[in-house]
Amino acid sequence: MYIKKVLAFLLIAVTLFYVSYLMVYKLSFLPNGYDIEEIKKDYVSLKSFNFLGVEKHIITLPFSEDDTWKIDEIEYAVNRQKEFLWLLFSFVTISGFLLIYKVLNGLKLWKAVLESNIVFAVLLPLLPVLNSLNRLFDLIS
């Protein structure tokens, strides 16, 4: 019986990881984030998104020959931002699932919050997301 529960949880967790991956990498759901539209030798075009993950506008940043290193840094920062958002979405959905599962099985809400680790699932990946967004903003401005 215990093995069935563990396998069921693993199946759900893998599915939630995959759905989070699709959201970030295929659907470009990037709240307050950026995605690369086009990279050329001397410029980069970025799509910016609002808080709801809806595209706001496209920013084209030209660089001189001395500043072309920023293109690689921007590309790296965008990829890191996507990785951290993927982790954030994955951890939050898995912890949210655990929270609902524990509440439905009769655990008190506060105890279920503690046991599902939803606070850590939000806070731990959120800090690197904010750092990567700040890094991107510094490179863009």
Side-chain angles (χ1 to χ4, degrees), residues 23-141:
M23 284 175 50
V24 171
Y25 287 98
K26 300 300 180 191
L27 300 176
S28 292
F29 180 67
L30 306 167
N32 284 338
Y34 298 92
D35 196 10
I36 295 175
E37 180 73 17
E38 182 178 18
I39 295 179
K40 292 290 182 183
K41 182 179 150 186
D42 58 347
Y43 75 90
V44 63
S45 294
L46 297 173
K47 284 191 257 183
S48 67
F49 296 89
N50 64 10
F51 181 73
L52 299 174
V54 178
E55 183 180 333
K56 285 195 312 191
H57 57 278
I58 295 177
I59 306 165
T60 301
L61 304 166
F63 295 103
S64 65
E65 281 192 31
D66 296 336
D67 289 338
T68 54
W69 61 270
K70 286 186 178 181
I71 294 173
D72 293 332
E73 288 295 317
I74 289 172
E75 184 178 16
Y76 177 76
V78 166
N79 289 333
R80 294 291 290 179
Q81 168 222 318
K82 285 182 176 184
E83 291 170 8
F84 292 132
L85 280 171
W86 175 44
L87 288 175
L88 175 68
F89 295 156
S90 298
F91 292 167
V92 167
T93 54
I94 290 170
S95 291
F97 169 76
L98 282 173
L99 176 69
I100 292 168
Y101 176 78
K102 290 180 181 287
V103 168
L104 290 178
N105 281 336
L107 222 56
K108 300 244 187 236
L109 181 63
W110 289 109
K111 188 166 177 131
V113 166
L114 290 174
E115 286 189 14
S116 69
N117 294 319
I118 197 156
V119 174
F120 294 114
V122 171
L123 292 179
L124 290 179
L126 189 61
L127 294 174
V129 167
L130 294 176
N131 286 339
S132 67
L133 288 174
N134 285 337
R135 173 77 174 138
L136 263 169
F137 186 73
D138 289 344
L139 288 168
I140 290 170
S141 54

